[in-house]
């Protein structure tokens, strides 16, 4: 059960980091020297994680492109005065299917990455991501304060 909680934290951390994290925590954190050192990542772990990431990227990009096309199609259907409710429902269903496929692929990538880490590394990773997210939020608040 503890491992499941850690995995859920990792997934949520990565989702949040995609929106609000500083550059050092975004993207390929396993390539970042700070993360490598604090997590004590072995070279083979970095290689395996990079392989998982590289394998997933073409699929995720294609799914993101499909999602964007379906989102644009839905916007056009909604804007078209000739569209009926059935057309909007159909376009919405297609958009949500594309979103689901993209999220499923991303979750599987994160799950595979998680399996490369031991429980201690995963706990440290979650703590580091949490810290970086808080720091990013703090810097954003300061930036907004200075711009007022």
């Amino acid at each position: 059960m503890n491992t499941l909680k850690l995995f859920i934290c990792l997934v949520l951390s990565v989702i949040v980091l995609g929106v609000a994290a500083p550059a050092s925590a975004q993207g390929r954190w396993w390539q970042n020297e700070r993360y490598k050192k604090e997590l004590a990542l072995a070279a083979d772990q970095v290689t395996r994680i990079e392989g998982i990431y590289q394998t997933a990227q073409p699929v995720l990009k294609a799914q993101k492109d499909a999602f964007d096309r379906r989102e644009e199609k839905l916007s056009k259907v909604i804007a078209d005065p000739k569209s009926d409710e059935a057309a909007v429902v159909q376009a919405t269903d297609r958009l949500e299917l594309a979103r689901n496929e993209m999220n499923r692929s991303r979750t599987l990538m994160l799950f595979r990455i998680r399996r490369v880490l031991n429980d201690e590394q995963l706990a440290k990773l979650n703590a580091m991501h949490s810290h970086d997210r808080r720091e990013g939020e703090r810097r954003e608040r300061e930036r907004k304060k200075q711009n007022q």
Side-chain angles (χ1 to χ4, degrees):
M1 185 63 171
N2 191 26
T3 303
L4 178 61
K5 287 180 184 176
L6 290 173
F7 172 68
I8 291 169
C9 287
L10 173 65
V11 171
L12 293 175
S13 296
V14 172
I15 290 168
V16 170
L17 286 172
V19 177
S24 66
Q26 288 181 343
R28 297 179 179 163
W29 55 264
W30 57 91
Q31 297 289 351
N32 180 292
E33 290 304 318
R34 174 180 155 238
Y35 278 75
K36 284 187 203 181
K37 182 179 177 186
E38 289 191 36
L39 297 175
L41 288 176
D44 72 305
Q45 286 180 302
V46 173
T47 301
R48 289 171 54 202
I49 293 170
E50 182 67 23
I52 292 165
Y53 177 81
Q54 290 298 329
T55 299
Q57 286 313 296
V59 172
L60 288 169
K61 177 161 181 8
Q63 290 173 334
K64 174 70 167 99
D65 292 345
F67 174 82
D68 290 344
R69 285 190 306 275
R70 289 179 178 172
E71 190 171 42
E72 186 177 321
K73 174 70 173 167
L74 174 61
S75 294
K76 288 178 181 177
V77 169
I78 289 171
D80 184 353
K82 296 177 187 173
S83 293
D84 60 5
E85 192 169 310
V88 173
V89 167
Q90 183 181 43
T92 301
D93 287 346
R94 288 180 177 163
L95 174 65
E96 292 307 317
L97 179 60
R99 183 190 320 270
N100 182 50
E101 290 171 357
M102 193 170 50
N103 285 336
R104 181 178 42 227
S105 294
R106 186 170 179 280
T107 299
L108 285 172
M109 178 188 73
L110 295 173
F111 174 73
R112 291 172 183 140
I113 289 172
R114 181 265 172 261
R115 290 180 14 178
V116 173
L117 304 174
N118 63 40
D119 289 343
E120 184 179 335
Q121 288 171 320
L122 185 56
K124 285 181 183 178
L125 176 65
N126 289 332
M128 292 172 75
H129 279 168
S130 228
H131 174 268
D132 289 350
R133 180 183 43 79
R134 286 190 308 273
E135 277 300 303
E137 290 169 352
R138 183 188 60 76
R139 282 193 297 271
E140 181 64 18
R141 282 191 305 272
E142 287 177 5
R143 186 188 65 76
K144 285 181 180 178
K145 196 181 225 183
Q146 289 175 352
N147 290 336
Q148 290 179 350

